[in-house]
């Protein structure tokens, strides 16, 4: 929301453009937006995708849920309002990275369709690639890599997605991964194939 002061702040166009920054990196910048329940495999798959891209000499950056909450978004809670703000800030940071010519990977539950779509709309056509890491709640709960489901079921964590807070399944996802059926390696390969096929790995 603009206030009186903000009206005097204008986006400054610099001499070096996004396209020029991307060109020397030999890639088309974009956001690979991983969404899914806690424990669905977002971080694990995003990590492997980033390694594969790095091995291809692509310039990447992985924004990971917990890491961002420890820094930039320190102090935000898991209330609906703070979740919206959490995702909004991540969207803005990702947009800056895309402007820098990078392939950005984000691993956040991002449970609300409206928030994800808001980021899609902030970006240019083709720059937002939604990767739905679709793992049934029972499987996530079984994996429980950080012991969070156990705590949430005991009532020790309020507003936990899938348990006491909703997750809205993506309606218009570019890449759909069902981790029950494929390995981490195959899931990462699927993302790489999409990027290759759509021309993101060259400029
Ligand atoms: P999230 O980032 O979505 O919270 P994590 O990646 O931290 O999830 O944890 C997912 C856990 O599930 C990891 O321990 C991972 O090794 C395990 N896992 C088992 N099978 C798969 C799979 N096919 N894809 C992704 N993760 C898997």
């Amino acid at each position: 929301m603009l206030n009186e002061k903000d009206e005097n702040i204008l986006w400054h166009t610099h001499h070096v453009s996004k396209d020029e920054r991307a060109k020397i990196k030999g890639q088309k910048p974009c956001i690979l937006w991983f969404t899914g329940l806690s424990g669905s495999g977002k971080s694990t798959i995003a990590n492997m995708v980033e390694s594969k891209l790095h091995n291809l000499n692509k310039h990447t950056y992985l924004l990971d849920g917990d890491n961002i909450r420890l820094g930039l978004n320190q102090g935000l809670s898991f209330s609906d309002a703070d979740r919206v703000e959490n995702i909004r800030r991540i969207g803005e940071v990702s947009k800056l990275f895309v402007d820098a010519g990078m392939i950005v990977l984000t691993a956040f539950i991002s449970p609300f369709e409206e928030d994800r779509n808001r980021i899609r709309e902030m970006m240019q056509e083709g720059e937002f690639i939604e990767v739905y890491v679709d793992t049934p709640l029972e499987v996530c709960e079984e994996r429980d890599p950080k012991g969070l489901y156990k705590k949430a079921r005991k009532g020790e964590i309020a507003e936990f997605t899938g348990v006491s807070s909703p997750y809205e399944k993506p309606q218009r996802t570019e890449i759909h991964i069902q981790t029950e059926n494929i390995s981490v390696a195959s899931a990462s390969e699927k993302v790489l194939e999409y990027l290759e096929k759509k021309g993101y790995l060259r400029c």
Side-chain angles (χ1 to χ4, degrees), residues 121-162:
E121 278 148 29
M122 271 163 47
M123 306 306 298
Q124 288 177 7
E125 187 70 31
E127 283 181 347
F128 184 84
I129 302 166
E130 195 169 59
V131 186
Y132 177 26
V133 184
D134 182 3
T135 309
L137 179 63
E138 313 79 71
V139 176
C140 295
E141 204 157 351
E142 176 77 21
R143 290 180 185 164
D144 206 4
K146 299 176 203 151
L148 298 177
Y149 283 97
K150 211 167 280 156
K151 282 190 185 169
R153 290 289 177 200
K154 281 200 260 172
E156 290 169 14
I157 308 176
E159 300 173 287
F160 193 75
T161 304

Side-chain angles (χ1 to χ4, degrees), residues 37-45 143 145-146 179 182-184:
L37 294 170
S38 177
S40 59
K42 302 179 295 298
S43 299
T44 307
I45 298 168
R143 290 180 185 164
K146 299 176 203 151
T179 70
I182 56 173
S183 65
V184 177

